[in-house]
């Protein structure tokens, strides 16, 4: 892997802090949540950022789905606190049953 530049390291640290905070909240409030994980392409940041809330099964996912917009707003707020503006918050957070290796 290519070594990250100082700017990319700052971007990664901001995203990691926001996702970790979101994950801690979500683990206490959403039944069946396994983990939060993200992917991004540094050259297209923040547009390429995608955070996933991973659930253990489809039933847990269906139960949490109505709360998706609220969690998207929470994540957008966390990123704003880190100085990153997400223009379309709905594109950056999804709920899924797939893990990072799937």
């Amino acid at each position: 892997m290519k070594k990250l530049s100082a700017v990319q390291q700052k971007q990664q640290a901001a995203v990691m802090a926001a996702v970790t905070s979101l994950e801690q909240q979500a683990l206490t409030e959403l039944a069946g949540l396994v983990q939060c994980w993200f992917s991004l392409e540094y050259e297209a940041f923040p547009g390429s950022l995608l955070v996933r809330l991973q659930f253990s099964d489809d039933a847990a996912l269906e139960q949490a789905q109505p709360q998706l917009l609220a969690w998207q707003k929470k994540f957008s707020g966390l990123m704003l606190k880190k100085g990153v503006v997400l223009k379309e918050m709905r594109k950056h957070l999804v709920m899924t049953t797939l893990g990072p290796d799937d």
Side-chain angles (χ1 to χ4, degrees), residues 75-94:
F75 180 65
S76 183
L78 289 169
M79 289 302 292
L80 190 59
K81 286 181 182 176
K82 298 293 180 187
V84 178
V85 177
L86 300 177
K87 292 182 181 176
E88 295 182 46
M89 66 180 176
R90 293 173 191 244
K91 286 184 162 182
H92 298 285
L93 187 134
V94 297

Side-chain angles (χ1 to χ4, degrees), residues 21-100:
S21 177
L22 185 78
E23 182 178 42
Q24 289 171 348
Q25 284 182 313
L27 284 170
T28 60
E29 296 178 30
L30 295 174
L33 185 75
V34 176
Q35 66 180 346
C36 293
W37 54 283
F38 69 94
S39 61
L40 70 107
E41 295 174 21
Y42 293 100
E43 298 80 23
F45 182 78
S48 65
L49 175 63
L50 181 58
V51 176
R52 296 163 184 91
L53 296 174
Q54 180 185 343
F55 289 87
S56 57
D57 56 37
D58 289 329
L61 177 62
E62 284 181 35
Q63 186 178 2
Q65 201 67 39
Q67 301 174 45
L68 178 59
L69 181 59
W71 286 98
Q72 289 169 332
K73 287 180 181 178
K74 285 181 187 184
F75 180 65
S76 183
L78 289 169
M79 289 302 292
L80 190 59
K81 286 181 182 176
K82 298 293 180 187
V84 178
V85 177
L86 300 177
K87 292 182 181 176
E88 295 182 46
M89 66 180 176
R90 293 173 191 244
K91 286 184 162 182
H92 298 285
L93 187 134
V94 297
M95 294 179 170
T96 184
T97 56
L98 300 176

Side-chain angles (χ1 to χ4, degrees), residues 2-35:
K2 185 173 83 169
K3 188 172 180 174
L4 299 177
S5 71
V7 171
Q8 291 170 333
Q9 289 175 354
K10 284 180 74 175
Q11 291 170 342
Q12 185 179 36
V15 172
M16 194 64 160
V19 170
T20 300
S21 177
L22 185 78
E23 182 178 42
Q24 289 171 348
Q25 284 182 313
L27 284 170
T28 60
E29 296 178 30
L30 295 174
L33 185 75
V34 176
Q35 66 180 346

